[in-house]
Amino acid sequence: MKIKSIKGVKDILPGEIEKWQWVESVAGWMFSRYGFKEIRLPIFEYTDLFKRSIGDTTDIVEKEMYTFKDKGGEEITLRPEGTASVVRSYIEHKMHGQNQLTKLYYLGPMFRYERPQAGRFRQFYQIGVEAMGSSSPAIDAEVMIMLIEFFKTLGLNDLELQINSLGCKDCRPQYRETLKSAIKPHLKELCSNCNQRYERNPLRVLDCKVECCSEIAKGLPKFKDHLCSQCEQDFAQVQEFLDAVNTSYSVNDQIVRGLDYYNKTTFEVISKTGLGSQNAVCGGGRYDSLVEDFNGPPTPCFGFALGLERLISLLPEEKLQNLEQRPDIYLVCLGEEAQQLSFSVTHQLRTAGFCVEREIEGGSMKSQMRKANKLESRFALIIGENEIKNNKYVLKNMKDGEQSEISADTLTQEVYDHYKRWSDAQLKESGQK
Ligand code: HAM
């Protein structure tokens, strides 16, 4: 049997990985400016954690989890999302004792057994953020603003932030009943999934993607007209904070989210142009009782997770140039002695911090220069018999062809000086200096 990768998962190869590394480094830089610290979490947890947090009747728990018994007979699940693990870790390590507000971010693979299609995978990557320990609407707004600033830094300026409020344990039961009464006369027209949702989770009828269901959903009562006064006030404040820094958004009362732990502010970030039917780049919201549900102290939380495959597919071309690692120096060695010497010269320059490549098998000057060009090396360092005899090497700037003799005794310093001149010229050219 020919061995190949499993349906719905993919390799991320060199050439593509540079985009991922760039996005991940911008995320780390941006989120740390807002006080978030990275947390690394296990990829598998006890199944119960996900059942109890995401909700028994959600699609994720009912149909999509990779669950198995390990050799000790424990029920284990590959994590379908990160929030549940963060909450578990927060309680287990008593993080609530350390700070009033705990701000964490994580990134890594998630697993859902969904039908693979463009933008939907069975192993996919998320970057997630959780702010734990405050119920202030300022936190909701600040975290969403950070997200939008992150997108802007990546050159993604036309994503849409859509927000909604899902109320709280005081106003939701009543809205649920109001909604059920309004849905009831339409049951025959709704899809079979919505008929099941009607009893178990009627709010999910609001975000069904089946066309006739979404048409009916538009006419159903809106949660925003049934919020209690506290939820109404909090939702208004979130919008005031977003307005205060000119972060644009729209209210979409059909956002329900596919996980059960949310209350109050929920949101999604949508691409109207680049993603087809899987158009949500990011989703999140407030989950004020999840920590308590796992016997932790009262800890209101707000967070989000974004899908890296979807985000990366949207990155504008001009931001992706020059991401690929290029050698600073390509060693061109002619003759056996030079070839032998290249081993220690390469080591010397690499330990000084340069990215250095060479042709292990040697070859003609022409073929080695061709390789240096192909790899887009910034310089070629040429070492031949004469150079060894004179204790001087030739450094060639691959862009303008200028060649300089440099002494073998001061090699590192001289290469550094040339490199500095080259990088200053680059900055000047790009208008940064
Ligand atoms: P979620 O909406 O289930 O939320 O997932 C967040 C993002 O992950 C989605 O907007 C999408 O970009 C990406 N995503 C989800 N499923 C797939 C898939 N099968 N293939 C590719 N990308 C996918 C959560 O996971 C919550 N934990 C977010 C959160 C954090 N809420 C509060 N804190």
Side-chain angles (χ1 to χ4, degrees):
M1 192 184 86
K2 199 169 156 195
I3 295 198
K4 50 182 187 161
S5 61
I6 293 168
K7 199 175 162 191
V9 312
K10 64 172 194 168
D11 301 315
I12 308 159
L13 303 177
E16 171 77 3
I17 196 73
E18 292 77 8
K19 302 176 198 170
W20 291 68
Q21 291 168 333
W22 177 57
V23 170
E24 288 165 11
S25 67
V26 174
W29 169 77
M30 176 65 79
F31 300 163
S32 59
R33 273 170 54 192
Y34 286 77
F36 286 83
K37 296 196 171 134
E38 186 178 353
I39 180 168
R40 300 239 169 149
L41 299 155
I43 280 169
F44 51 84
E45 301 265 7
Y46 290 120
T47 301
D48 234 26
L49 174 70
F50 299 116
K51 278 193 182 161
R52 283 174 52 198
S53 54
I54 298 169
D56 269 336
T57 62
T58 57
D59 284 353
I60 297 180
V61 169
E62 278 194 335
K63 305 178 202 159
E64 296 169 3
M65 294 207 306
Y66 280 90
T67 296
F68 57 96
K69 274 203 169 47
D70 71 6
K71 289 195 166 50
E74 300 283 7
E75 269 237 349
I76 303 289
T77 292
L78 299 185
R79 60 181 185 192
E81 59 109 48
T83 309
S85 301
V86 174
V87 166
R88 196 258 317 132
S89 178
Y90 178 84
I91 297 168
E92 195 169 327
H93 299 288
K94 299 191 173 51
M95 290 186 219
H96 44 89
Q98 300 162 14
N99 254 323
Q100 190 219 345
L101 190 59
T102 304
K103 297 181 183 182
L104 301 167
Y105 78 91
Y106 51 90
L107 57 93
M110 308 291 159
F111 306 85
R112 295 184 193 175
Y113 191 79
E114 292 193 82
R115 196 166 51 78
Q117 62 181 89
R120 195 204 270 161
F121 302 91
R122 289 182 173 168
Q123 175 174 335
F124 60 98
Y125 288 77
Q126 283 187 344
I127 300 184
V129 151
E130 316 291 351
M132 314 174 81
S134 168
S135 58
S136 166
I139 288 293
D140 307 25
E142 191 174 297
V143 171
M144 290 189 282
I145 290 163
M146 173 178 83
L147 175 68
I148 299 303
E149 292 305 311
F150 167 66
F151 286 139
K152 281 190 198 159
T153 309
L154 297 175
L156 299 168
N157 297 309
D158 54 0
L159 296 174
E160 254 185 53
L161 170 63
Q162 302 185 346
I163 63 172
N164 192 21
S165 174
L166 291 183
C168 64
K169 58 181 183 321
D170 294 332
C171 52
R172 197 183 303 177
Q174 206 176 344
Y175 173 66
R176 196 175 182 273
E177 288 316 308
T178 309
L179 191 62
K180 275 183 85 173
S181 318
I183 294 172
K184 202 170 180 186
H186 297 287
L187 279 176
K188 283 208 176 84
E189 304 150 68
L190 293 172
C191 72
S192 57
N193 271 345
C194 281
N195 269 273
Q196 286 177 14
R197 288 168 182 149
Y198 169 73
E199 278 303 337
R200 289 156 47 175
N201 194 353
L203 266 75
R204 292 244 48 197
V205 173
L206 292 171
D207 77 342
C208 181
K209 302 287 181 283
V210 175
E211 207 179 321
C212 66
C213 301
S214 68
E215 274 312 304
I216 291 168
K218 281 180 195 152
L220 293 171
K222 316 283 183 223
F223 209 153
K224 65 171 187 256
D225 303 323
H226 296 264
L227 294 172
C228 61
S229 61
Q230 186 64 54
C231 285
E232 195 175 30
Q233 195 183 319
D234 286 352
F235 195 44
Q237 267 201 33
V238 170
Q239 296 175 61
E240 280 164 29
F241 283 124
L242 292 173
D243 291 337
V245 294
N246 299 319
T247 296
S248 31
Y249 62 90
S250 58
V251 176
N252 177 353
D253 34 45
Q254 283 175 286
I255 290 180
V256 177
R257 309 283 302 128
L259 307 97
D260 279 355
Y261 46 64
Y262 293 108
N263 62 295
K264 295 201 173 183
T265 314
T266 47
F267 74 99
E268 287 184 352
V269 178
I270 303 292
S271 165
K272 279 270 161 92
T273 46
L275 288 176
S277 63
Q278 301 305 312
N279 64 354
V281 186
C282 179
R286 185 158 275 292
Y287 52 100
D288 289 338
S289 48
L290 195 54
V291 175
E292 261 183 287
D293 292 347
F294 283 98
N295 302 324
T299 310
C301 302
F302 187 89
F304 67 72
L306 56 86
L308 271 170
E309 287 80 1
R310 295 184 195 176
L311 183 155
I312 283 165
S313 74
L314 292 171
L315 291 175
E317 221 20 73
E318 68 269 16
K319 286 274 180 185
L320 302 178
Q321 282 152 16
N322 300 323
L323 285 182
E324 222 169 308
Q325 169 94 333
R326 297 159 55 195
D328 300 315
I329 299 150
Y330 192 90
L331 246 65
V332 175
C333 300
L334 302 163
E336 212 163 293
E337 207 182 336
Q339 197 61 38
Q340 196 70 19
L341 184 67
S342 74
F343 189 85
S344 46
V345 172
T346 302
H347 175 73
Q348 180 183 343
L349 290 171
R350 281 185 182 148
T351 49
F354 295 104
C355 170
V356 187
E357 284 297 339
R358 72 187 201 284
E359 179 54 81
I360 302 271
E361 306 298 338
S364 68
M365 172 91 158
K366 201 168 158 195
S367 75
Q368 291 185 60
M369 282 309 253
R370 207 181 303 128
K371 196 75 185 285
N373 264 321
K374 193 167 165 223
L375 293 176
E376 296 181 50
S377 183
R378 296 173 176 111
F379 293 93
L381 184 69
I382 304 162
I383 311 179
E385 278 170 26
N386 275 342
E387 282 77 17
I388 294 176
K389 210 180 326 154
N390 300 332
N391 206 30
K392 285 198 162 112
Y393 308 147
V394 174
L395 189 71
K396 178 174 177 178
N397 182 324
M398 296 298 286
K399 198 171 169 198
D400 59 18
E402 191 189 290
Q403 300 201 10
S404 321
E405 256 192 0
I406 58 176
S407 162
D409 299 331
T410 48
L411 174 72
T412 310
Q413 184 59 47
E414 288 195 60
V415 170
Y416 175 78
D417 292 342
H418 280 274
Y419 187 86
K420 175 89 175 49
R421 244 172 279 143
W422 168 85
S423 101
D424 285 349
Q426 290 293 113
L427 287 174
K428 207 166 170 188
E429 211 178 288
S430 65
Q432 292 176 53
K433 199 170 179 179

